[in-house]
């Protein structure tokens, strides 16, 4: 079994895993970081989005071994102690979630959008969310949350 | 204005954990010494199980045990009950064929359960399941209403014409008289397509058995833990309620589909006492598609009788639906017509008659209540019918509704089923509707 090493939420981690282990499996089962969810297994739903070297990626469609040496950030790595990240706070303020299952992927995906486009239009937010599905909210409040989060991050 | 209460936005207590990755969904839970399950499912809609050979799979790496429907039946395990039956219009009970958690003699839809493989890891269980050899005697499938109605393919040998029930409600004579006196009769045919609820979180469960106390615990993705305890304990596994604990952690969406007791819950709970290890199972999305209870899927013909001024005199409707190959519960058979009936009564105070509500059982996944459970279908039907009447007879669609609203007495509470119903601000709302919504 190959040994893999990476940085997850600022901590160095290393483990022996089966070659077929997916990144999301490694995060959830080996590291116990269960905030990253598996909704569809097939890159459709986006509940598993994490950042790998600063880019949002679907961790259900990437082998853990492909993240060798990478810097990975999950939803657990965003808040600063008790203080929520502005994007998390924006979701909370704007009722951007109901059951919460898609939420980590939505937040991680939104953060990649605002680092590429600090002031997105509503349409740009909606287009960016093409790869993230939600079944509770109807998306309106998610879009509102992301626009508010982007505004807060611009300061 | 107070800081809490009506008109004030209140932050939800659960958002903090959901936003920081600290939610507690079933698949996030792991128990010490936990094993993992994979369910072997049918790739065929309808087939005899001539033989299920697990020999090769049993010696695969990591395998702890494999069980089939024969093992569960030999142990006296019952079938999943409907839980809320309905009677035919002639007073006879509806057909309620058996619903074994693991198929015994034949499979009745794609995804029907054949065997559970329990192993040290999920991958090992899945790999071993591929080594199970099943000899299928493929039978004709009845994949739509016409095929099920024809009755040439029987999904259950003891259910003639695949008919689950034939139900009616209303006052036939009074309704027929109203139609006889009508100046206009407008009719419409609507199909509500079958759909898959697709909660974001796939179904999952973890079962535990404590042999020192005889107690079972099941963590499951459910909207309805008490009903699972009742149905699974009393009807399927014969476990007394005080020995059975059902835990419903955070649930990642359900829309009704997680109300019902599912076969996997019974299989896992039963098997935990066989292997004396906790067992975890999580569905893949492709399993959700074929095993979560589907919604809608019915065809309706409806008629509205009006006088020359556009006053409504009576309503008639006829429904046929596809309830799927295996009984669901509590409401596959019952709640659709019943909740539709309640709403139907609230929406109109006129003579109404529903001569037929006949679900058939094609070789499709089970069917049950979904997002509104009959009410959206009823609203859709009434609004489409009234709009069609306005168009066909040359009335303004808003005025026709306004006239109906203003014309009579309020809906009495006794006429709304048992649920107290407030009259909503219909006339105001309909005029304030967003631009672009045509009636």
């Amino acid at each position: 079994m190959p040994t893999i090493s990476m940085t997850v939420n600022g901590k160095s981690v290393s483990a022996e895993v089966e070659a077929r282990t997916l990144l999301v499996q490694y995060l959830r089962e080996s590291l116990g970081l269960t905030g990253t969810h598996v909704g569809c297994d097939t890159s459709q739903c986006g509940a598993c989005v994490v950042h790998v070297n600063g880019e949002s990626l679907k961790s259900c469609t990437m082998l853990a071994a492909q993240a060798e040496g990478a810097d990975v950030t999950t939803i657990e790595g965003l808040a600063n102690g008790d203080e929520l990240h502005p994007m998390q706070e924006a979701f909370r303020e704007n009722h951007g979630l109901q059951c919460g299952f898609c939420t980590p992927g939505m937040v991680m995906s939104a953060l990649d959008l605002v680092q590429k486009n600090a002031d997105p239009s509503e349409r740009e937010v909606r287009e960016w969310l093409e790869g993230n599905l939600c079944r509770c909210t109807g998306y309106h409040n998610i879009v509102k949350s992301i626009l508010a989060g982007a505004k807060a991050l611009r300061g | 204005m107070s800081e809490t209460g009506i008109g004030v936005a209140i932050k939800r207590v659960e958002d903090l954990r959901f936003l920081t990755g600290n939610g507690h969904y079933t698949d996030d839970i792991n128990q010490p010494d936990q094993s993992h399950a994979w369910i072997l499912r049918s790739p065929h809609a309808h087939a005899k199980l001539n033989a299920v050979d697990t020999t090769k799979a049993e010696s695969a790496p990591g395998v702890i045990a494999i069980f089939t429907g024969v093992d569960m039946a030999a142990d006296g395990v019952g079938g999943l009950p409907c839980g809320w039956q309905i009677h035919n219009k002639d007073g006879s009970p509806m057909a309620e064929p058996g619903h074994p958690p693991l198929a015994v003699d034949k499979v009745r839809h794609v995804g029907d359960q054949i065997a559970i493989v329990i192993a040290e890891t999920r991958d090992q269980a899945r790999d071993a399941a591929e080594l199970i050899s099943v000899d299928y005697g493929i039978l004709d499938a009845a994949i739509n209403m016409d095929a099920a109605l024809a009755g040439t393919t029987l999904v259950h040998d003891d259910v003639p014409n695949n008919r689950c029930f034939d139900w009616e409600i209303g006052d036939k004579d009074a309704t027929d008289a109203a139609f006889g006196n009508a100046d206009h009769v407008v009719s419409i045919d609507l199909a509500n397509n079958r759909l898959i609820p697709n909660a974001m979180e796939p179904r999952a469960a973890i079962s535990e058995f404590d042999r020192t106390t005889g107690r079972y615990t099941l963590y499951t993705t459910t909207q309805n833990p008490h009903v699972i305890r009742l149905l699974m304990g009393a009807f399927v596994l014969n476990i007394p309620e005080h020995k059975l604990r059902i835990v419903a952690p955070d649930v990642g969406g359900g829309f009704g589909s997680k109300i019902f007791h599912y076969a996997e819950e019974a299989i896992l709970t039963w098997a935990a006492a066989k292997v004396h290890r906790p067992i975890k199972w999580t569905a893949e999305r492709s399993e959700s598609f074929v095993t979560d209870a589907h919604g809608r899927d019915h065809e309706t013909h409806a008629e509205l009788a009006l006088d020359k001024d556009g006053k409504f005199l009576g309503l008639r409707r006829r429904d046929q639906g596809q309830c799927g190959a295996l009984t669901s519960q509590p409401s596959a058979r019952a709640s659709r017509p019943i909740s539709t009936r309640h709403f139907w009564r609230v929406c109109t105070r006129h003579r109404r008659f529903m001569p037929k509500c006949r679900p058939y059982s094609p070789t499709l996944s089970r069917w049950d209540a979904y997002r509104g459970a009959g009410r959206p279908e009823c609203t859709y039907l009434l609004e489409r019918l009234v709009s069609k009447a306005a168009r066909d007879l040359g009335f303004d669609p808003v005025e026709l509704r306004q006239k109906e609203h203003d014309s009579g007495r309020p809906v009495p509470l006794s006429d709304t089923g048992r649920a107290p119903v407030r009259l909503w601000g219909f006339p105001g709302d309909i005029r304030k509707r967003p631009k672009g919504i045509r009636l």
Side-chain angles (χ1 to χ4, degrees):
Chain A
M1 289 203 294
T3 302
I4 55 165
S5 302
M6 64 186 82
T7 304
V8 178
N9 299 333
K11 277 188 217 159
S12 296
V13 293
S14 186
E16 255 190 24
V17 296
E18 265 196 80
R20 62 177 164 177
T21 306
L22 298 167
L23 179 58
V24 70
Q25 264 181 301
Y26 177 63
L27 294 170
R28 288 180 56 83
E29 294 166 21
S30 299
L31 301 181
L33 295 171
T34 54
T36 302
H37 297 147
V38 179
C40 72
D41 321 279
T42 50
S43 283
Q44 316 284 321
C45 81
C48 67
V49 170
V50 299
H51 289 193
V52 177
N53 294 327
E55 295 270 334
S56 60
L57 284 171
K58 290 179 174 172
S59 60
C60 79
T61 317
M62 179 175 177
L63 295 169
Q66 288 176 290
E68 171 65 29
D71 188 4
V72 177
T73 307
T74 71
I75 189 75
E76 289 92 342
L78 293 186
N80 180 14
D82 286 342
E83 194 189 329
L84 291 179
H85 184 285
M87 189 60 81
Q88 292 171 311
E89 192 59 54
F91 270 72
R92 193 184 185 196
E93 283 291 332
N94 290 282
H95 196 159
L97 63 153
Q98 188 174 323
C99 82
F101 199 81
C102 73
T103 309
M106 289 286 178
V107 172
M108 297 311 286
S109 188
L111 285 175
D112 195 17
L113 167 65
V114 297
Q115 72 186 3
K116 290 181 165 76
N117 177 0
D119 190 7
S121 66
E122 181 183 329
R123 187 181 170 156
E124 285 168 331
V125 171
R126 288 184 182 276
E127 282 179 1
W128 180 265
L129 289 182
E130 180 218 21
N132 290 79
L133 301 181
C134 170
R135 291 280 288 124
C136 300
T137 64
Y139 300 99
H140 293 306
N141 286 356
I142 294 176
V143 174
K144 233 161 94 180
S145 303
I146 294 172
L147 291 170
K151 193 174 172 194
L153 286 164
R154 289 196 302 275
Chain B
M1 192 186 286
S2 63
E3 285 179 15
T4 58
I6 294 166
V8 177
I10 296 175
K11 283 182 188 167
R12 306 195 314 158
V13 289
E14 60 270 47
D15 283 1
L16 192 59
R17 67 177 190 273
F18 291 157
L19 279 162
T20 54
N22 290 297
H24 202 55
Y25 302 92
T26 302
D27 190 57
D28 299 343
I29 298 167
N30 293 291
Q31 299 297 348
D33 202 29
Q34 166 182 289
S35 62
H36 296 264
W38 185 264
I39 309 272
L40 178 69
R41 299 184 182 282
S42 170
H44 301 293
H46 197 197
K48 276 188 187 158
L49 292 176
N50 293 329
V52 181
D53 183 357
T54 59
T55 323
K56 215 169 151 191
E58 275 160 20
S59 56
V63 170
I64 297 163
I66 300 175
F67 300 108
T68 66
V70 174
D71 298 316
M72 291 191 85
D75 219 20
V77 172
L80 273 63
C82 169
W84 188 5
Q85 289 95 338
I86 196 166
H87 282 75
N88 294 308
K89 61 186 179 192
D90 65 8
S92 60
M94 62 171 244
E96 193 193 351
H99 184 171
L102 285 171
V104 180
D105 54 346
K106 69 175 186 174
V107 286
R108 293 180 168 87
H109 66 92
V110 172
D112 205 356
Q113 293 83 218
I114 295 168
I116 178 173
V117 181
I118 302 159
E120 297 296 338
T121 71
R122 190 180 187 217
D123 286 342
Q124 287 174 332
R126 186 180 189 171
D127 289 347
E130 290 183 7
L131 299 174
I132 297 175
S133 169
V134 182
D135 177 8
Y136 294 102
I138 298 172
L139 300 165
D140 286 342
I143 54 161
N144 58 39
M145 199 109 65
D146 290 342
L149 261 166
T152 46
T153 296
L154 289 186
V155 183
H156 299 273
D157 294 341
D158 53 348
V159 182
N161 292 94
N162 296 310
R163 183 189 291 174
C164 182
F165 63 78
D166 187 355
W167 181 82
E168 68 176 29
I169 192 163
D171 186 336
K172 184 178 189 308
D173 293 340
T175 308
D176 287 347
F179 273 78
N181 294 329
D183 295 298
H184 306 288
V185 174
V186 176
S187 67
I188 197 165
D189 290 280
L190 295 176
N192 274 281
N193 61 283
R194 177 171 274 247
L195 56 76
I196 301 171
N198 261 327
M200 290 300 294
E201 178 204 32
R203 288 190 296 113
I206 305 169
S207 62
E208 294 178 309
F209 175 66
D210 181 342
R211 73 168 99 176
T212 64
T213 61
R215 286 174 191 272
Y216 294 81
T217 304
L218 179 74
Y219 298 82
T220 183
T221 48
T222 183
Q223 299 171 242
N224 218 340
H226 300 88
V227 168
I228 309 297
R229 184 177 63 175
L230 170 70
L231 295 178
M232 186 171 81
F235 297 96
V236 187
L237 297 180
N238 198 21
I239 301 170
E241 283 203 5
H242 69 289
K243 298 277 189 190
L244 180 59
R245 180 175 175 234
I246 309 289
V247 183
D250 288 331
V251 176
F255 320 118
S257 73
K258 287 177 183 163
I259 291 172
F260 322 116
H261 173 36
Y262 283 93
E264 293 86 353
E265 294 165 328
I267 302 167
L268 253 71
T269 304
W270 172 81
K274 299 288 171 201
V275 299
H276 294 134
R277 299 260 305 263
I279 308 170
K280 182 172 184 174
W281 167 81
T282 302
E284 293 202 325
R285 180 56 54 181
S286 49
E287 294 180 271
S288 309
F289 283 147
V290 293
T291 64
D292 291 2
H294 292 178
R296 315 286 194 238
D297 200 5
H298 58 113
E299 293 171 6
T300 301
H301 174 82
E303 296 169 320
L304 176 65
L306 305 94
D307 73 7
K308 62 181 183 344
D309 299 320
K311 188 182 167 206
F312 299 172
L313 302 174
L315 278 160
R316 283 195 292 230
R317 67 181 280 194
R318 190 167 71 231
D319 272 285
Q320 287 189 161
Q322 305 194 98
C323 64
L326 293 161
T327 46
S328 189
Q329 87 299 122
S331 40
R333 310 303 166 97
S335 94
R336 167 83 52 67
I338 287 172
S339 57
T340 299
R341 183 189 79 189
H342 289 176
F343 202 69
W344 176 252
R345 286 179 156 198
V346 173
C347 289
T348 174
R349 53 189 167 270
H350 300 287
R351 296 297 180 193
R352 63 227 153 226
F353 182 57
M354 191 168 170
K356 279 180 189 158
C357 182
R358 297 192 300 190
Y360 290 88
S361 300
T363 45
L364 296 170
S365 302
R366 62 195 277 182
W367 171 76
D368 217 313
Y370 166 77
R371 270 189 166 169
R375 299 162 191 88
E377 294 96 316
C378 191
T379 308
Y380 173 53
L381 170 67
L382 290 171
E383 295 301 334
R384 286 287 311 277
L385 188 57
V386 173
S387 288
K388 186 162 187 285
R391 257 198 322 278
D392 288 359
L393 307 177
F395 292 105
D396 176 84
V398 174
E399 279 170 19
L400 189 63
R401 288 170 167 86
Q402 181 81 55
K403 195 183 311 192
E404 160 64 10
H405 181 272
D406 294 346
S407 67
R409 61 192 160 84
V411 179
L413 282 185
S414 61
D415 211 20
T416 62
R418 290 202 188 109
V421 172
R422 274 186 213 167
L423 289 174
W424 47 88
F426 173 81
D429 291 344
I430 201 168
R431 291 185 191 282
K432 281 187 289 186
R433 70 188 185 281
K435 276 180 194 159
I437 294 186
R438 283 180 51 221
L439 291 168

